[in-house]
Amino acid sequence: NLEHQNEQLTIMYNQAVREKMLIKIDYQVAEQKILGKDEKIHEVEEKLFEATNENIAMKKILNGLNNLERMVNDNKAVFHPSKTVVGHAGKAHQTSRAYQPVRSEQSMRSDQSIRSYQTARPMTQTNKAYEVHKAYQTNK
């Protein structure tokens, strides 16, 4: 009976040793997986940090380009194709192609104030012709 119990204890001990070794191996495998995941997390965090810095830099560049675009739009030239105009002696001719600036709101406001000054003191074609005639008469 004692020998039988001794054999049973030996079998149980060997099973416990095998299970301990399997648990140790499982622990090492799990630890390696955790280390691999930690490394991946670290890499992703670095990439996120770099992407955030690049995003900030790109936003600064975009803001600069938007400011540049606004400046260009304020002083932009627009291509206007030639137009047929009735000119001297009633003959039709093509005007040259011209670039005309697109006016900013501020320059348009200043033009409006100039126009309002000019309308306060109108100079019509008749008035111009009269002044030219008067100057001609004085020089005679």
Side-chain angles (χ1 to χ4, degrees):
N1 202 9
L2 240 66
E3 282 183 30
H4 180 52
Q5 287 179 350
N6 193 16
E7 284 179 27
Q8 290 292 326
L9 282 173
T10 306
I11 291 171
M12 286 175 43
Y13 174 77
N14 288 334
Q15 283 179 344
V17 169
R18 270 189 251 124
E19 286 179 16
K20 182 181 174 187
M21 286 177 58
L22 289 174
I23 289 173
K24 200 174 194 180
I25 292 172
D26 287 344
Y27 175 79
Q28 288 175 347
V29 169
E31 194 173 1
Q32 289 299 318
K33 284 182 180 179
I34 289 172
L35 290 175
K37 287 181 181 182
D38 283 346
E39 191 175 317
K40 284 182 182 179
I41 288 171
H42 182 69
E43 289 174 7
V44 169
E45 285 175 342
E46 283 181 356
K47 287 180 181 179
L48 176 65
F49 180 75
E50 290 172 10
T52 302
N53 287 340
E54 286 178 16
N55 189 22
I56 291 169
M58 292 304 247
K59 282 183 180 180
K60 287 179 182 179
I61 291 170
L62 181 63
N63 286 337
L65 289 173
N66 286 337
N67 290 337
L68 182 62
E69 182 182 29
R70 272 188 241 111
M71 289 170 50
V72 167
N73 285 338
D74 286 347
N75 299 315
K76 185 172 162 186
V78 175
F79 179 74
H80 294 282
S82 63
K83 299 176 184 176
T84 303
V85 177
V86 176
H88 184 63
K91 294 183 181 178
H93 68 280
Q94 294 287 323
T95 60
S96 63
R97 293 179 177 201
Y99 289 91
Q100 298 180 357
V102 172
R103 308 300 297 266
S104 67
E105 289 183 31
Q106 186 177 8
S107 66
M108 288 161 94
R109 277 190 236 116
S110 66
D111 278 358
Q112 288 173 347
S113 64
I114 291 170
R115 276 191 228 111
S116 65
Y117 172 77
Q118 288 173 342
T119 52
R121 200 175 146 262
M123 181 63 96
T124 62
Q125 290 294 338
T126 312
N127 289 347
K128 285 182 184 176
Y130 175 74
E131 286 186 12
V132 169
H133 176 70
K134 190 174 178 182
Y136 179 74
Q137 290 294 330
T138 338
N139 290 335
K140 272 189 169 184

